[in-house]
Amino acid sequence: MSELRLTALALPTAQVGPVNPLPPLFAGADLHEVADASQADDEMRYNIGYGRVPSVMPYLLQDGYTRERAPAEHPAAVLENATLRATFLLGAGGRLWSLIHKPTGRELLFRNPVFQPANLALRNAWLAGGVEWNIGTIGHAPTTCEPLHAARVVRPDGTPVLRMWEYERIRGTVFQIDAYLPDDSQVLLVHVRITNPRDTEVPMYWWSNIAVPEAPDVRVLAPADAAWQFSYDRRVRHVDLPAPDGQDLTRTTRSQDAADYFFDVPAGRRRWIAALDAGGRGLVQTSTDRQRGRKLFLWGQGEGGRHWQDWLSEPGNAYLEIQAGVARTQLEHVPMPAGARWTWVEAYGLLEADPAAVHGEDWAAAREAARDGVDALVPAGVLDAELAAAAAWLDQEPVDILATGSGWGALERRRRVRAGEPPFEVSGTPFPDGTLGVEQEAWLELLDHGRLSPAGPARAPLSYQVDPAWEQPLRDADGWLALLHLGVLRAHAGDFEGARKSWLHSIEHRPTAWAWRSLAVLADRDGELTEAARAYREALRLEPGLLPLVLEAAGALLRAGAPQEVLSLLAALPEEQRALGRVRWAEARAALDSGDTERCGRILREGIELADVREGEGSLHELWFAHQRATGSAEPGLPLPRAYDFRMLAAS
């Protein structure tokens, strides 16, 4: 009998923490910038350049976490039948955290033993493990560490469905995830629908990122004979499978460096991807044809890659990722027409295939053996039938509300009504007024009364908008707060001169740290370092104790060649803040730049832990080597301390 129930999952937890109040005007975009796509075809090259965003706005960054963990319980939903038990974290983007094959007791996913945010997502905070649902723009989704709306729905045959949904603010679309386990099903079924309610085309992105255990006997298989390789040198290469340059990339423990491999699946072949152990068993994901792409990500066996694995979990918990998306690669957005609804069905289960074949030297025989196992587990016709049958219940109203997401869908519903635009079709994915919260209060006031009432110049705005639909209401509202928001909206649209004028007018109404800081970020972006430093000083004069502002200003002052000023700025911080990793790094860098190599060396020896070190960031190892060069001790054999080695390429 299929069952859906609520529970709580206890994990050692580092809380995500509060958002950074400073809007990421030109930051937060993904790392997948392409330097060379000459080997890509015309369609891929177009999609690579299409739909890029300047930042993760209107979302704020989630960088308030640490490395300190304490036991905590996380709300979860469990789907279970006789074969599988699936656990979803409702407060972490609806992530499928665990999938257990009950007859064997086998965990099919990499289930992280800890809840530890790290800086890999568009908004910074990200979790390793399970299956993550990514939508909107290239990268780990803005909702990956946020609660989703969740409810119980019942199919016509009585099967319970876990429905999760949210309004995605970058693209202005609604996504809906319906997960269910029919009584006799050997696979978890996940129906996904994306709705574009707008009257314009939007660039779209979706990838289901699946973490599975990595081991020397695990091989990744997919129905392709070639792949698009993308590594941290930002180049796209078309390579043969399984062993370009003599190294079998489908056996991930044999690779030194981190890399992405997007399988070049020929038209007409069934879409699937699997990671199988020495016995020919492991997780498989397959889908209907809308989900076109398949990918392998590996961390590599270099010191930096192994360090990342430990950093994201606990030592001894290595994983790799097999992924599936609506484009061929994660470097692309695809055009979604106005008013379109895209749907597909994904299936997750235990694949069993001939171990001699899947681990043999004949790649074609290996993938065909795995394909035969997929067809036996869940025939393609079964998924096609599920997709067709879902039309009867996708818009069915929830039976019980299990969790509440953000109030942004409710605000957008209200805005559309007031603007006379077509309303959301939300019977199956409701956004009731009861979900509106403090982040939406200012925008409700603007909608209903045509004004923004500031709480006070010392209080940072709780939220921002970049949808052009809000420009005219902001222009009509006037006042320092409306002008501040208008500048943010214009900057996101690329109207930098209009943004600058709005922020200057905001300051004329009322000088605030928020407008001065925005002017500083704009000047820094334009390479006007002297002007950026001046604007940061004005912002700090108004809000000297705001740590995110202090750190941002310190970075700009370092780029402007003012390390002594940075040291003075940091010295004024409270002792507990001076002990934080980002502050210690800035102090060490400023000391080195001012010629105080002894002070820099002492800080490096004592240790700098950047809780939010970014994937691909070189701050730590670059500082270490810079100090070595400055002191004349850059010996060829002098090792970089492991604590500072997050390099994604061994030679970087």
Side-chain angles (χ1 to χ4, degrees):
M1 187 72 169
S2 182
E3 178 187 7
L4 168 60
R5 64 181 184 273
L6 292 180
T7 187
L9 188 64
L11 289 168
T13 298
Q15 299 291 346
V16 174
V19 297
N20 187 323
L22 304 179
L25 299 174
F26 309 111
D30 185 64
L31 293 170
H32 289 81
E33 297 175 359
V34 179
D36 180 2
S38 59
Q39 293 190 33
D41 58 30
D42 290 343
E43 178 194 0
M44 188 179 294
R45 279 195 294 272
Y46 173 82
N47 287 343
I48 286 172
Y50 169 72
R52 297 276 171 160
V53 295
S55 77
V56 73
M57 290 291 291
Y59 297 97
L60 297 177
L61 297 183
Q62 297 173 305
D63 60 0
Y65 54 87
T66 69
R67 300 286 298 172
E68 297 178 5
R69 302 181 196 132
E73 291 192 339
H74 299 265
V78 177
L79 283 168
E80 186 166 3
N81 68 3
T83 304
L84 294 169
R85 183 187 306 120
T87 303
F88 298 80
L89 287 187
L90 301 179
R95 182 181 297 250
L96 174 58
W97 191 252
S98 168
L99 184 62
I100 293 176
H101 184 256
K102 292 167 62 177
T104 61
R106 177 170 180 160
E107 173 63 72
L108 299 180
L109 301 173
F110 167 61
R111 181 174 58 190
N112 202 330
V114 300
F115 187 100
Q116 176 60 63
N119 189 358
L120 284 85
L122 288 166
R123 296 178 67 188
N124 187 315
W126 180 79
L127 306 170
V131 182
E132 173 195 25
W133 321 107
N134 294 297
I135 185 173
T137 192
I138 295 168
H140 296 288
T143 52
T144 194
C145 283
E146 290 273 294
L148 299 186
H149 299 280
R152 180 193 307 271
V153 174
V154 179
R155 295 200 316 171
D157 65 358
T159 301
V161 177
L162 172 63
R163 174 167 296 167
M164 300 178 288
W165 71 96
E166 188 53 279
Y167 176 70
E168 200 290 299
R169 300 179 69 203
I170 292 177
R171 302 303 187 191
T173 56
V174 176
F175 67 95
Q176 171 183 340
I177 302 165
D178 288 300
Y180 55 105
L181 273 170
D183 289 347
D184 58 351
S185 181
Q186 302 296 302
V187 293
L188 172 69
L189 297 169
V190 180
H191 184 289
V192 180
R193 179 167 71 176
I194 305 173
T195 301
N196 175 13
R198 295 174 176 256
D199 59 3
T200 57
E201 174 186 288
V202 297
M204 186 44 61
Y205 176 94
W206 178 283
W207 280 80
S208 304
N209 287 12
I210 307 147
V212 295
E214 181 184 55
D217 69 336
V218 171
R219 190 178 203 187
V220 174
L221 298 107
D225 298 306
W228 304 96
Q229 180 198 49
F230 186 72
S231 188
Y232 289 81
D233 62 3
R234 306 287 187 257
R235 286 177 166 77
V236 178
R237 300 177 179 87
H238 199 245
V239 299
D240 292 330
L241 293 175
D245 304 321
Q247 180 172 284
D248 189 344
L249 63 88
T250 68
R251 306 177 196 274
T252 60
T253 58
R254 301 181 185 180
S255 294
Q256 185 72 7
D257 293 330
D260 296 331
Y261 292 96
F262 302 99
F263 293 100
D264 189 4
V265 181
R269 287 187 185 173
R270 188 177 182 188
R271 316 243 163 207
W272 55 269
I273 188 167
L276 305 182
D277 64 15
R281 301 180 184 90
L283 181 91
V284 65
Q285 189 271 2
T286 185
S287 70
T288 51
D289 286 343
R290 169 70 72 179
Q291 201 176 35
R292 182 182 181 188
R294 294 297 185 276
K295 171 194 164 181
L296 161 66
F297 169 74
L298 55 95
W299 283 106
Q301 299 303 300
E303 188 61 40
R306 293 199 303 272
H307 190 194
W308 267 113
Q309 298 247 31
D310 293 347
W311 186 256
L312 295 168
S313 181
E314 292 282 9
N317 288 280
Y319 75 94
L320 59 90
E321 289 187 6
I322 53 177
Q323 306 178 8
V326 297
R328 286 182 294 168
T329 75
Q330 287 176 338
L331 313 175
E332 306 169 73
H333 298 102
V334 291
M336 186 176 190
R341 283 187 162 188
W342 287 355
T343 61
W344 65 90
V345 174
E346 305 180 33
Y348 297 80
L350 175 65
L351 178 62
E352 297 182 273
D354 178 5
V358 298
H359 290 284
E361 295 301 317
D362 186 335
W363 171 251
R367 60 172 174 73
E368 287 170 8
R371 179 207 59 201
D372 291 344
V374 179
D375 290 342
L377 177 67
V378 54
V382 170
L383 296 188
D384 291 336
E386 288 289 344
L387 183 62
W393 53 268
L394 280 182
D395 292 315
Q396 189 171 307
E397 293 185 7
V399 175
D400 298 308
I401 299 298
L402 305 179
T404 301
S406 79
W408 295 113
L411 180 70
E412 176 62 10
R413 177 180 55 77
R414 293 270 292 264
R415 187 202 65 78
R416 293 173 74 89
V417 169
R418 184 165 291 276
E421 299 176 12
F424 277 159
E425 298 178 24
V426 295
S427 57
T429 53
F431 296 108
D433 283 352
T435 62
L436 293 164
V438 293
E439 292 178 312
Q440 291 82 41
E441 283 179 357
W443 306 104
L444 281 172
E445 182 187 28
L446 184 60
L447 278 182
D448 295 341
H449 304 291
R451 64 175 184 266
L452 287 176
S453 300
R459 180 178 175 183
L462 296 179
S463 59
Y464 292 85
Q465 297 282 2
V466 294
D467 188 328
W470 291 94
E471 181 170 3
Q472 192 58 51
L474 286 171
R475 288 166 62 96
D476 294 341
D478 202 23
W480 74 262
L481 183 56
L483 287 163
L484 174 72
H485 281 293
L486 184 61
V488 169
L489 192 150
R490 286 172 168 171
H492 189 80
D495 180 7
F496 304 128
E497 182 57 24
R500 188 182 69 84
K501 289 179 178 178
S502 294
W503 291 325
L504 287 172
H505 289 160
S506 177
I507 290 169
E508 290 173 1
H509 280 258
R510 176 73 67 88
T512 66
W514 325 119
W516 277 116
R517 178 264 178 181
S518 296
L519 288 167
V521 174
L522 181 60
D524 195 10
R525 176 197 173 277
D526 293 338
E528 299 174 359
L529 299 182
T530 300
E531 177 58 28
R534 184 186 76 84
Y536 271 121
R537 293 184 189 106
E538 292 293 336
L540 286 167
R541 183 176 58 81
L542 295 165
E543 291 293 333
L546 183 62
L547 184 60
L549 180 61
V550 170
L551 289 172
E552 223 181 61
L557 290 167
L558 285 171
R559 290 188 292 277
Q564 289 291 349
E565 186 175 354
V566 171
L567 292 173
S568 298
L569 182 64
L570 301 180
L573 291 173
E575 185 176 348
E576 63 271 16
Q577 290 186 344
R578 293 193 64 188
L580 296 174
R582 285 288 173 189
V583 177
R584 287 176 59 77
W585 181 90
E587 181 183 352
R589 182 76 251 186
L592 183 63
D593 289 357
S594 62
D596 191 346
T597 57
E598 191 282 328
R599 182 175 181 179
C600 176
R602 173 177 52 79
I603 297 171
L604 283 167
R605 289 189 298 273
E606 291 172 352
I608 302 172
E609 182 180 79
L610 300 185
D612 67 335
V613 62
R614 180 73 168 168
E615 179 187 6
E617 179 181 349
S619 297
L620 289 169
H621 73 260
E622 290 168 2
L623 177 61
W624 168 267
F625 288 127
H627 176 262
Q628 295 297 304
R629 289 191 297 272
T631 57
S633 58
E635 303 171 12
L638 190 64
L640 174 69
R642 188 173 193 265
Y644 298 152
D645 194 349
F646 289 91
R647 293 173 295 178
M648 306 300 285
L649 297 175
S652 63

